[in-house]
Amino acid sequence: AQSVTQLGSHVSVSEGALVLLRCNYSSSVPPYLFWYVQYPNQGLQLLLKYTSAATLVKGINGFEAEFKKSETSFHLTKPSAHMSDAAEYFCAVSDSGGYQKVTFGIGTKLQVIP
Amino acid sequence: DAGITQSPRHKVTETGTPVTLRCHQTENHRYMYWYRQDPGHGLRLIHYSYGVKDTDKGEVSDGYSVSRSKTEDFLLTLESATSSQTSVYFCAAATGPSSGGAFEQYFGPGTRLTVT
């Protein structure tokens, strides 16, 4: 069975500061990993995905994530937070076979303080 | 929203009544999914479909059924609504392997369901 653990259900950063959202995964097979963002009253939008092509993955809106197999981690970072980054972020994992059912983490709400 | 709509967007219903939520997509995605979102649980898969009339259960399927008679529509039915089914329901769709092989899911705007 696959799972993800997001450390910290709420994270606050100052505008301009580094954003770091943590995600650790568990999977018995090489996984696909994703970060999604959800703005208030909206559906989820894909930020980036890891598919084994490169361990450092760049996504939209200046976000990136690094796959570290030894640490089973896929943390999301952004060098400088912007007010518009305030949202809920979900880490997710799927296996590489079949219908690729996705398992989501519980989410991390990012607050950006002006 | 990648051409995915959900209806209704909001619904209040009474315990014991059947409820059907509709997901409609215009991009000819083969795969479709229903999730529920609850605080502290993230999104949990209810049912999914891998083609017309081909469906299977997810991790929280009890009390729910689905149907897919056309590529573009995926219906979720709560057979007899209970208060524990109060939630926000999201539909998602995917075409299949994208670059790198992973399925990229596109989400609808959600339906907020309250069961009183």
Side-chain angles (χ1 to χ4, degrees):
Chain A
Q2 57 199 20
S3 65
V4 291
T5 301
Q6 291 185 242
L7 300 176
S9 58
H10 291 80
V11 171
S12 294
V13 299
S14 298
E15 190 175 16
L18 172 70
V19 175
L20 171 60
L21 305 183
R22 300 177 185 273
C23 174
N24 289 89
Y25 71 92
S26 173
S27 178
S28 58
V29 297
Y32 293 133
L33 294 161
F34 309 84
W35 276 99
Y36 283 85
V37 60
Q38 183 181 31
Y39 298 102
N41 300 313
Q42 295 186 25
L44 278 69
Q45 178 184 0
L46 181 66
L47 268 180
L48 51 81
K49 64 181 180 183
Y50 166 76
T51 61
S52 78
T55 56
L56 183 62
V57 182
K58 295 188 183 298
I60 62 172
N61 301 337
F63 285 93
E64 63 182 35
E66 185 172 8
F67 173 74
K68 292 187 177 180
K69 185 176 179 180
S70 61
E71 298 178 8
T72 61
S73 68
F74 191 57
H75 302 331
L76 182 71
T77 60
K78 182 174 181 179
S80 177
H82 191 273
M83 296 299 295
S84 61
D85 294 327
E88 190 159 21
Y89 292 80
F90 293 91
C91 182
V93 62
S94 73
D95 61 44
S96 54
Y99 305 120
Q100 295 189 20
K101 290 182 288 183
V102 177
T103 301
F104 288 85
I106 64 171
T108 298
K109 284 190 177 177
L110 177 67
Q111 179 186 22
V112 182
I113 303 167
Chain B
D1 63 2
I4 299 172
T5 57
Q6 294 184 230
S7 58
R9 294 291 314 279
H10 301 272
K11 186 169 182 68
V12 180
T13 192
E14 294 184 348
T15 298
T17 60
V19 177
T20 295
L21 309 183
R22 179 180 184 239
C23 178
H24 179 78
Q25 53 110 346
T26 60
E27 302 295 324
N28 204 35
H29 294 298
R30 176 183 173 187
Y31 302 89
M32 296 185 75
Y33 311 81
W34 276 108
Y35 295 92
R36 59 177 290 174
Q37 182 179 26
D38 304 288
H41 292 277
L43 276 77
R44 292 178 291 175
L45 182 64
I46 305 171
H47 281 279
Y48 65 101
S49 169
Y50 46 95
V52 173
K53 298 187 179 178
D54 291 324
T55 65
D56 204 350
K57 297 178 180 180
E59 65 175 304
V60 290
S61 59
D62 286 349
Y64 301 95
S65 62
V66 291
S67 66
R68 191 168 179 202
S69 59
K70 298 185 290 185
T71 297
E72 57 266 35
D73 290 325
F74 193 31
L75 304 181
L76 176 71
T77 297
L78 287 64
E79 295 142 9
S80 178
T82 68
S83 58
S84 64
Q85 293 176 313
T86 292
S87 187
V88 181
Y89 291 86
F90 286 98
C91 173
T95 296
S98 62
S99 61
F103 287 23
E104 290 186 16
Q105 294 190 16
Y106 300 94
F107 283 79
T111 293
R112 185 172 297 275
L113 176 68
T114 302
V115 183
T116 62

